[in-house]
Amino acid sequence: MAEEAGLDLVELRQLQNIAKRPRVLNLINSEISNLEKLRDSAIAKPEVPVSVPAPVSSSVKPVSPVVNYVTLGTFSWDQDNEKVKMYISLEDVGQDNVQAEFKPMSLDIKIHDVQGKNYRCAIPKLHKEIVPEKCKVLVKPKRIVITMFKSSRGNWLDIHHKEDKLKPSLEKEKDPMAGIMGMMKNMYEDGDEEMKKTIAKAWTDARSGKATDPLKGL
């Protein structure tokens, strides 16, 4: 726009030089003044290019598919004082396809893409604690060997955690009278005739409700 206004001004000034009549000169001078203002305005305010905003991507991230596993519940194991070894029979397994997670009281082994299937062997609670950072997995041609190092030396009765069977149960407490009756039976069998009569009488009184303590009077 400024360039066009400049060209128009050149021609108008040429006309201004050859014009004679006052009215024509006034019209030319007025137009020159307007064009000068237009030119100066165009120079002072250059055109600013309009930026077009970049398109916003509306793509949705794909959801990871759920991985299904075949549970490996059968394995063998052995031990020494320092470590426990598990043996899983499985062929055509790559070392990179095995994912192992060891914790102090558990392990979780995931085996991916073995002839189109995924396998998993997990023990949620081990017999005793292990040292996770020392444990390892070794893949062999026909089996997987899992080595777990014991937190404390000793023998494991099982690889799975077992509740202490010697722990007393309040629900199974014996009837206190059963012990007394057993003791009276032994006294009766080992006693003389007088003792047997006394025990027989105490036994009879206890069963009939005449005596609450069968040992009273012995």
Side-chain angles (χ1 to χ4, degrees):
M1 184 179 291
E3 185 178 356
E4 292 292 328
L7 294 174
D8 291 344
L9 282 171
V10 172
E11 290 191 5
L12 285 173
R13 287 195 178 105
Q14 291 176 353
L15 294 174
Q16 186 183 36
N17 292 331
I18 62 175
K20 301 297 184 182
R21 296 180 64 78
R23 185 164 177 236
V24 173
L25 284 172
N26 287 336
L27 289 173
I28 294 174
N29 290 335
S30 177
E31 189 63 26
I32 289 175
S33 178
N34 291 335
L35 285 175
E36 286 177 343
K37 291 179 182 179
L38 181 62
R39 180 197 60 186
D40 294 341
S41 176
I43 294 173
K45 296 180 180 179
E47 294 183 3
V48 179
V50 179
S51 60
V52 179
V56 179
S57 176
S58 60
S59 60
V60 179
K61 292 183 178 180
V63 179
S64 300
V66 177
V67 180
N68 295 318
Y69 292 95
V70 177
T71 302
L72 291 170
T74 303
F75 57 84
S76 58
W77 69 286
D78 62 16
Q79 65 175 316
D80 56 31
N81 282 334
E82 296 182 348
K83 57 185 176 294
V84 177
K85 286 190 175 183
M86 287 176 55
Y87 305 95
I88 300 174
S89 297
L90 196 62
E91 298 182 10
D92 300 326
V93 178
Q95 184 74 45
D96 295 337
N97 292 0
V98 180
Q99 177 185 344
E101 182 180 8
F102 296 100
K103 294 183 179 180
M105 282 294 293
S106 66
L107 80 145
D108 190 358
I109 308 297
K110 296 177 181 178
I111 308 158
H112 298 105
D113 195 19
V114 180
Q115 297 181 0
K117 293 183 180 180
N118 303 308
Y119 296 88
R120 186 175 187 177
C121 180
I123 300 180
K125 195 168 185 181
L126 293 164
H127 182 70
K128 290 185 179 179
E129 286 193 10
I130 59 175
V131 184
E133 57 270 19
K134 295 177 67 175
C135 299
K136 58 185 179 180
V137 178
L138 177 63
V139 176
K140 294 192 174 184
K142 293 187 177 182
R143 66 179 182 177
I144 301 170
V145 182
I146 303 162
T147 303
M148 298 177 287
F149 285 82
K150 299 176 181 178
S151 178
S152 57
R153 294 168 59 91
N155 186 62
W156 287 15
L157 300 178
D158 198 333
I159 198 167
H160 296 275
H161 178 77
K162 300 290 184 182
E163 295 292 339
D164 189 356
K165 295 181 180 180
L166 299 179
K167 193 178 294 183
S169 174
L170 296 177
E171 296 178 355
K172 296 182 179 180
E173 287 184 350
K174 292 183 178 180
D175 182 0
M177 290 300 295
I180 297 174
M181 294 302 179
M183 184 175 63
M184 288 179 63
K185 181 180 180 182
N186 292 334
M187 290 172 62
Y188 182 88
E189 292 175 351
D190 296 335
D192 55 15
E193 290 298 321
E194 187 64 26
M195 177 61 72
K196 289 181 179 180
K197 289 181 181 179
T198 304
I199 291 175
K201 183 177 184 305
W203 181 281
T204 303
D205 291 342
R207 297 193 65 177
S208 63
K210 293 181 180 180
T212 56
D213 184 359
L215 296 181
K216 187 176 181 179
L218 296 181

